[in-house]
Amino acid sequence: MTTMQALVAHAIGEPAEVLRLETRPIPQPGRGEVRIRVLATPVHPSDLHILRGRFGIAPTLPAVMGSESVGVVDALGEGVDDVSIGQRVITVGVRETWQEFVVADARRVLAAPEAVSVSTAAQMITNPLTALLLVTNQLEVKPGEWLLQTAAGSTVGKMVLQLGIRLGFKTINVVRRRAGVEEIRALGGNEVICTEDEDLRKRVTEIVGPGGVSKAIDCVAGQIGADVSRSLAPGGKMIVYGALSTHRQTEADKLTIPIFARSIIYETKIVQGFFLPRWFATSPQEQIKAAIGETFELVASGILRISEGEPFALTQFAEAVALAEAPAHRAKPLFVPGK
Ligand SMILES: NC(=O)c1ccc[n+]([C@@H]2O[C@H](COP(=O)([O-])OP(=O)(O)OC[C@H]3O[C@@H](n4cnc5c(N)ncnc54)[C@H](OP(=O)(O)O)[C@@H]3O)[C@@H](O)[C@H]2O)c1
């Protein structure tokens, strides 16, 4: 076999319209590189942001999409002696994963823990690591403290509330659908606010008192993000790490949060962004290694459970993208190239 299939974007636009399945030569690993036969690679909201031209990173087109994967090493370049053929590995910060074979720098692959499923291994970095960094490195949420979070039913949101149980902090979880409330309670979320029929700010006051909540994370932005910032206590801090309310928006200028300046100024609140690729680019290697090691331990030991993804062949990209953006989707779409 000398050729493979790859999902390639040729233009910015609606994901299902600009992606094309192409036949390409199977790549050869160069010095210090390994070739991986991809077993599974997820469709994350960020992949769709890139395709719509509104993400913090813009690849040169045409480009194969995808940012996280698990696979089996099937060829080694010269000078690679700490990875072996047949080993199951996870790629870290390697892009262009939506294809049958990926070539990666050998320093950017890690052995996949034996205990975890292919679906879990394919999702072990981006979301669990983000959740861990938000509650530790970014906000240092202490045992007994409240943390307010939006889109609590997202993969990141579920990791955060599982971390709350592990680390002893309490979560106020915001969801947009009444039907989503029970799942969050079953997972151990302390309080749930449903914006379908409840006022976010009023409910936060009822839960923590009129002083507000000291720490919050938000990945919805828009009016919900603004309501979260107004629910902060004086001196409180909110980390914004996504903008789900503007997901189909292709004009980057429309990704906004209508912050109430009076409360930010006079109550000296902090609203700060978080972007995992920037954290990777600006953090010391030792810190990155330690955080990934901790994430792997939490997932491999079952403390953090990642819902099983729904497998799709590369040919089914339109269905996979539709599932990724469908309201109430229970599973994350995973491309399984051998399917
Ligand atoms: N900054 C970073 O470095 C970083 C890293 C990782 C992830 N993220 C961001 O984290 C967010 C979650 O990612 P994920 O992979 O965990 O998502 P996911 O598993 O695909 O889940 C998406 C969730 O968002 C909810 N949602 C969608 N649109 C919404 C809206 N308009 N208002 C309120 N809730 C909405 C959905 O609710 P329903 O159940 O009601 O449909 C669903 O629970 C994304 O914005 C992603 O870009 C950022």
Side-chain angles (χ1 to χ4, degrees), residues 6 22 70 111 139 181 268 298:
E22 287 186 1
V70 61
L139 281 178
V181 172
T268 59
L298 287 164

Side-chain angles (χ1 to χ4, degrees), residues 44-45 49 126-127 130 151 153-156 176-177 219-220 241-242 244-245 247 274-276 327-329 332:
H44 284 311
H49 298 339
T126 308
N127 286 333
T130 295
S154 66
T155 311
V156 176
R176 62 173 171 176
R177 296 175 293 114
C219 64
V220 173
Y241 70 100
L244 284 160
S245 59
H247 257 202
F274 174 80
F275 188 39
L276 189 63
H329 68 267
K332 191 173 276 285

Side-chain angles (χ1 to χ4, degrees), residues 137-317:
N137 170 276
Q138 300 289 298
L139 281 178
E140 298 178 355
V141 190
K142 304 277 182 309
E145 275 188 329
W146 283 108
L147 174 70
L148 170 62
Q149 70 155 337
T150 58
S154 66
T155 311
V156 176
K158 287 179 191 162
M159 301 287 112
V160 166
L161 72 87
Q162 291 175 56
L163 283 167
I165 294 164
R166 172 71 179 173
L167 303 175
F169 63 81
K170 297 178 286 183
T171 51
I172 304 174
N173 301 280
V174 181
V175 296
R176 62 173 171 176
R177 296 175 293 114
R178 183 55 46 201
V181 172
E182 218 24 69
E183 185 189 17
I184 302 300
R185 286 201 199 287
L187 281 169
N190 299 86
E191 295 284 350
V192 189
I193 300 174
C194 173
T195 52
E196 184 181 317
D197 51 20
E198 289 180 306
D199 181 299
L200 192 155
R201 286 168 55 204
K202 194 163 153 245
R203 285 282 291 118
V204 173
T205 305
E206 282 167 11
I207 295 164
V208 299
V213 64
S214 296
K215 296 177 180 175
I217 55 174
D218 171 50
C219 64
V220 173
Q223 189 54 48
I224 295 285
D227 287 348
V228 171
S229 73
R230 280 188 81 170
S231 301
L232 283 176
K237 185 170 175 183
M238 158 180 169
I239 304 283
V240 183
Y241 70 100
L244 284 160
S245 59
T246 60
H247 257 202
R248 290 178 183 243
Q249 185 57 258
T250 49
E251 280 179 63
D253 285 352
K254 297 264 166 73
L255 311 190
T256 58
I257 303 175
I259 293 283
F260 182 49
R262 187 169 184 271
S263 115
I264 296 291
I265 300 164
Y266 301 119
E267 294 169 15
T268 59
K269 298 174 178 180
I270 301 167
V271 176
Q272 186 176 302
F274 174 80
F275 188 39
L276 189 63
R278 187 165 158 73
W279 179 82
F280 272 121
T282 56
S283 303
Q285 280 308 312
E286 279 315 301
Q287 192 184 342
I288 294 174
K289 228 173 127 185
I292 290 178
E294 193 177 345
T295 306
F296 271 40
E297 254 177 62
L298 287 164
V299 176
S301 62
I303 291 166
L304 287 187
R305 292 176 309 282
I306 309 173
S307 309
E308 285 291 292
E310 186 164 333
F312 288 89
L314 289 173
T315 48
Q316 296 172 295
F317 61 87

